[in-house]
Amino acid sequence: MRNVVVVGAQWGDEGKGKIVDWLAAHFDIVARYQGGHNAGHTVRVGGRRFILHLIPSGILRDGKVCVIGNGVVVDPEALLEEMAMLRREGVSVTPERLLVSHRAHVILPYHRVLEAILERELGERRVGTTMRGIGPAYEYKYGRRGVRIGELCEPDLLREKLAFIAEHINRVLRAFDAEPVDPQPLYERYRELGEKIAPFVADTVAYLNQAIAEGRTVLFEGAQGAMLDVDHGTYPFVTSSSASAGGAIVGTGVPPTRITAILGVVKAYTTRVGEGPFPTELQDEIGQLLQQGGGEYGATTGRPRRCGWFDAFAVAYAVMLNGCTALALTKLDVLDPLPEIKICVGYRYRGRTLREYPASCETLRECEPIYETVPGWQTPTSGLTRYEELPPKARRYIERLSQLVGCDISFISTGAEREEMIIVPGYAVERVLT
């Protein structure tokens, strides 16, 4: 039995889409467990570029079943658009290949309105969200005023719920001089959307647990990264869901005893989108080099990503939090031109070296990174597929990162294409692949 969680071990955008696409060849089912269409997973196959927001990256592998779990918040219009895009590209998207949990919550138009109001009201303390209604959809879910995917397929219940919710939401909207919600056209539109996605709606908890009982293997795909986890990340500058490995349990209904390995994904440097503290951020020509060389622009919004040196102190925290079995390293080739590279090995706060990762963003803003400098290799690594082909200094850099974060780097992506991957043989790889 092999059921593996893939989780970002930085602030998201680590390249999980490519890693999941590559690993999907070794699994039967790929299940997404949290987030919404604020995530953007970019996958390149045969020169073609796919950007996926809701559908698991495994959809690009023939014969694989993809599941959108109950922990995901779903914008039905965005889902249908993504399905249509894939079909135009010749990818099979049928009810046999894609299942959507009837327990997943729905993002509705008023969630986007609420998010815009909140970001405006926060002013300089704004989070810098994608403005797609993700946070308010989760707020309404936990406030027990949400609409679930299965309810889109029950017209009488949907009408009743939207009428009830409109009474509450309109009191909020009027307080901010925003246009109130008319529940009738909203009902008509979402009843129509429910009819379109009904063939894909299923009890995915029962499906996944039955599949595992029958010996089929599941790859769990996370969105964002552990440092954006709503509980364990740099709160309040976080996403609205459990982006750490534990989210896979709640977000799919598969018990923890069924998980066999956790694969963390990290970049060879660090990036962050939106607001929030970022101790190793580089606002100089090296930061620009990383941004340009890595194509560091958000797949969902196109926003430029903030770039900085690899933060081993933060990744070590993420490795502990997720219980990572192994790590996958991406975008090593972006560092190829640099004569020397810095690695953050700890933080100094008001003259004191910290032993544990700080929970307070106010503390984190004052932290000074403690750096270790290593020589660069200044030799191309793009496209290499064997560990022995890497320059010795690149191998030493990878080995040093492994030592600092306390976890083996077992997979190394050397380019955007599917097959540009190095596997480092060892026990950690065996835990993930066999």
Side-chain angles (χ1 to χ4, degrees), residues 6-61:
V6 176
V7 61
Q10 294 165 312
W11 279 276
D13 308 306
E14 300 95 346
K16 296 180 294 297
K18 177 191 170 168
I19 299 301
V20 169
D21 168 70
W22 187 87
L23 285 172
H26 302 269
F27 290 80
D28 300 311
I29 300 165
V30 183
R32 168 83 177 273
Y33 61 83
Q34 48 76 225
H37 64 309
N38 54 340
H41 291 172
T42 302
V43 181
R44 292 183 184 271
V45 182
R48 291 190 298 168
R49 181 170 175 257
F50 298 87
I51 299 178
L52 301 166
H53 300 285
L54 282 166
I55 298 174
S57 304
I59 198 72
L60 303 176
R61 292 281 187 177

Side-chain angles (χ1 to χ4, degrees), residues 136-151:
Y138 277 112
E139 288 183 46
Y140 271 62
K141 170 180 176 174
Y142 290 108
R144 297 176 293 280
R145 292 187 298 272
V147 174
R148 302 205 287 187
I149 286 287
E151 293 164 348

Side-chain angles (χ1 to χ4, degrees), residues 260-380:
T260 57
I262 312 292
L263 178 65
V265 184
V266 294
K267 278 179 183 165
Y269 47 99
T270 309
T271 63
R272 180 167 193 165
V273 172
E275 307 299 324
F278 183 2
T280 67
E281 183 173 10
L282 294 169
Q283 296 179 318
D284 57 14
E285 64 278 5
I286 296 178
Q288 293 172 5
L289 182 149
L290 296 175
Q291 185 183 83
Q292 296 300 318
E296 298 298 350
Y297 299 90
T300 297
T301 63
R303 291 182 295 178
R305 297 180 184 130
R306 300 153 65 192
C307 298
W309 296 118
F310 188 92
D311 189 337
F313 193 54
V315 173
Y317 167 70
V319 165
M320 175 194 69
L321 174 66
N322 292 284
C324 291
T325 310
L327 293 177
L329 184 73
T330 66
K331 296 198 175 183
L332 179 70
D333 57 300
V334 177
L335 301 180
D336 288 351
L338 297 177
E340 64 178 27
I341 299 164
K342 291 184 179 181
I343 306 168
C344 173
V345 297
Y347 296 164
R348 188 175 290 109
Y349 174 69
R350 296 183 178 179
R352 178 171 58 91
T353 300
L354 298 183
R355 298 183 61 185
E356 298 174 347
Y357 199 85
S360 165
C361 270
E362 285 67 30
T363 300
L364 199 53
R365 287 187 192 282
E366 291 188 47
C367 286
E368 299 175 14
I370 301 169
Y371 284 121
E372 176 181 298
T373 302
V374 299
W377 44 93
Q378 296 187 290
T379 303

